[in-house]
Amino acid sequence: MSIDRTRRKLVNAFACTAVSAAMLPCCPGRSALAAAYGLEFKLRKIADGVFAFRGVDELMSAANQGAISNLAVVVGSDAVAVIDSGGSLVEANALIAAIGKMSAKPVRYLINTHMHPDHIFGNAAFREIGATIVGHRNLPRALEARGAFYLQGFREQIGGALMKGIEIIPPTMLVDDRLQLDLGGRVLELQAWKAAHTDNDLTVFDSATRTLFAGDLVFIGSLPTLDGSLLGWLHQMDALAAVGAARVVPGHGPVPADWPQALTAQRRYFEILARDIRKAIADGTPLSDAVKTAGASERGNWQLFDDYNERNATAAFAELEWE
């Protein structure tokens, strides 16, 4: 494809954001934008009216268009809800295009499960189609605190071209504890959790199909990342497991997965990490040494282990030395 043709497709794709909300899902420029960047975006039906996209088990990069997290769509008789917007506008526009191909119903809600860029960098595309953005009560504060860092840091990580148009957009509908969203004949139950993966984790439960959208409270295959509270995550895992779901869409990993079996490996990793850090603290092992060995027995069980385990161990040490 020539540079001029590619440029025209990109310009047309971004021009879609000026079109009315009713026309946006069908805008061909959205699919063209994804194709121009080489993103193959496919929604898979996992239950009646429930669709999911599986992200790749990698760090965000220009090569994968930031599409590393799992995204989901729930279709009611009146409207559509989307769970997370992805790691770029390229991905978000591909998601909107895919929704438009399968339903003419409006996207009424975009639900952000937490603050991390791979879940919220596509928010601007959903704002442009008139969706109400929903999130944990702590999410606006978290995005205000980290937004500038995310925009700068990920410009270096995924490149300026992919960062074009990305904004830090907070939710306007907040979940303090629980909230129900009616899509018409289908009610989604949203729950705000105490600090665990982050301090702004939100889950979504579709009781009609018993599908749980767990965000990054559940990792499968890729190492869980700790940006909130190890103890909080461990303490709340029983309550999470008690959700009466038949299947789960984790934040990262196979879609769908059986519930609550999906928590088994994650629980084991955190229990081992906590055990190793507690022993290091009791033995007087310096932090610099402790983080190199804590959790090491789990290395062969997880992708991206060497990218995240020492960071997890550092956070765990800081928390557990004061318990």
Side-chain angles (χ1 to χ4, degrees):
M1 181 182 293
S2 71
I3 293 176
D4 287 342
R5 286 178 61 196
T6 301
R7 184 181 296 115
R8 283 198 298 272
K9 285 191 174 185
L10 294 176
V11 169
N12 289 338
F14 284 114
C16 286
T17 59
V19 182
S20 69
M23 295 177 63
L24 274 166
C26 298
C27 182
R30 293 181 181 272
S31 296
L33 177 60
Y37 275 86
L39 175 62
E40 294 184 8
F41 192 95
K42 294 181 180 179
L43 283 172
R44 175 190 171 196
K45 183 176 181 179
I46 62 171
D48 182 32
V50 179
F51 305 83
F53 168 80
R54 181 181 177 182
V56 296
D57 297 323
E58 301 171 359
L59 301 176
M60 287 177 68
S61 68
N64 60 36
Q65 299 82 36
I68 68 169
S69 65
N70 295 334
L71 313 178
V73 176
V74 182
V75 181
S77 60
D78 298 332
V80 175
V82 174
I83 294 96
D84 286 330
S85 63
S88 68
L89 287 177
V90 172
E91 184 180 13
N93 280 304
L95 174 55
I96 292 170
I99 295 169
K101 291 177 181 178
M102 68 184 188
S103 176
K105 298 179 179 68
V107 177
R108 184 173 294 165
Y109 302 107
L110 166 66
I111 303 165
N112 286 154
T113 61
H114 65 288
M115 65 185 177
H116 288 147
D118 52 317
H119 296 261
I120 59 94
F121 265 4
N123 280 14
F126 288 90
R127 178 191 61 187
E128 294 300 330
I129 64 172
T132 297
I133 302 177
V134 187
H136 191 289
R137 64 182 181 274
N138 290 339
L139 183 55
R141 175 192 51 75
L143 291 177
E144 182 178 4
R146 298 229 190 150
F149 169 75
Y150 286 158
L151 291 176
Q152 179 58 40
F154 281 85
R155 181 173 298 277
E156 297 174 1
Q157 182 169 330
I158 68 177
L162 203 59
M163 287 294 296
K164 183 176 176 63
I166 290 178
E167 301 176 51
I168 301 299
I169 300 175
T172 56
M173 181 181 290
L174 302 181
V175 183
D176 185 66
D177 180 21
R178 296 175 184 267
L179 177 71
Q180 292 188 335
L181 298 177
D182 189 351
L183 305 180
R186 176 164 294 191
V187 175
L188 300 181
E189 301 171 10
L190 280 58
Q191 181 174 350
W193 295 81
K194 295 179 181 178
H197 170 62
T198 67
D199 72 349
N200 49 90
D201 298 308
L202 188 70
T203 58
V204 182
F205 182 58
D206 173 35
S207 57
T209 62
R210 295 178 60 207
T211 303
L212 174 65
F213 307 91
D216 281 7
L217 283 176
V218 179
F219 282 72
I220 303 174
S222 288
L223 191 75
T225 56
L226 182 60
D227 200 6
S229 168
L230 172 63
L231 294 178
W233 208 338
L234 281 169
H235 290 164
Q236 294 179 97
M237 220 172 296
D238 286 340
L240 187 62
V243 174
R247 67 188 63 82
V248 65
V249 176
H252 299 268
V255 176
D258 293 336
W259 190 253
Q261 296 91 325
L263 287 171
T264 300
Q266 175 176 286
R267 187 194 297 267
R268 183 191 67 239
Y269 166 69
F270 281 132
E271 289 175 346
I272 289 172
L273 182 65
R275 180 201 67 194
D276 290 354
I277 290 294
R278 286 185 173 115
K279 185 177 187 304
I281 293 170
D283 292 346
T285 304
L287 170 63
S288 58
D289 293 332
V291 299
K292 295 176 182 178
T293 59
S297 62
E298 283 285 292
R299 174 173 278 105
N301 297 323
W302 300 96
Q303 297 188 60
L304 304 180
F305 183 90
D306 290 326
D307 295 290
Y308 289 119
N309 184 65
E310 285 196 18
R311 192 177 79 173
N312 289 348
T314 301
F317 194 104
E319 183 176 1
L320 293 176
E321 68 176 334
W322 297 107
E323 69 173 339

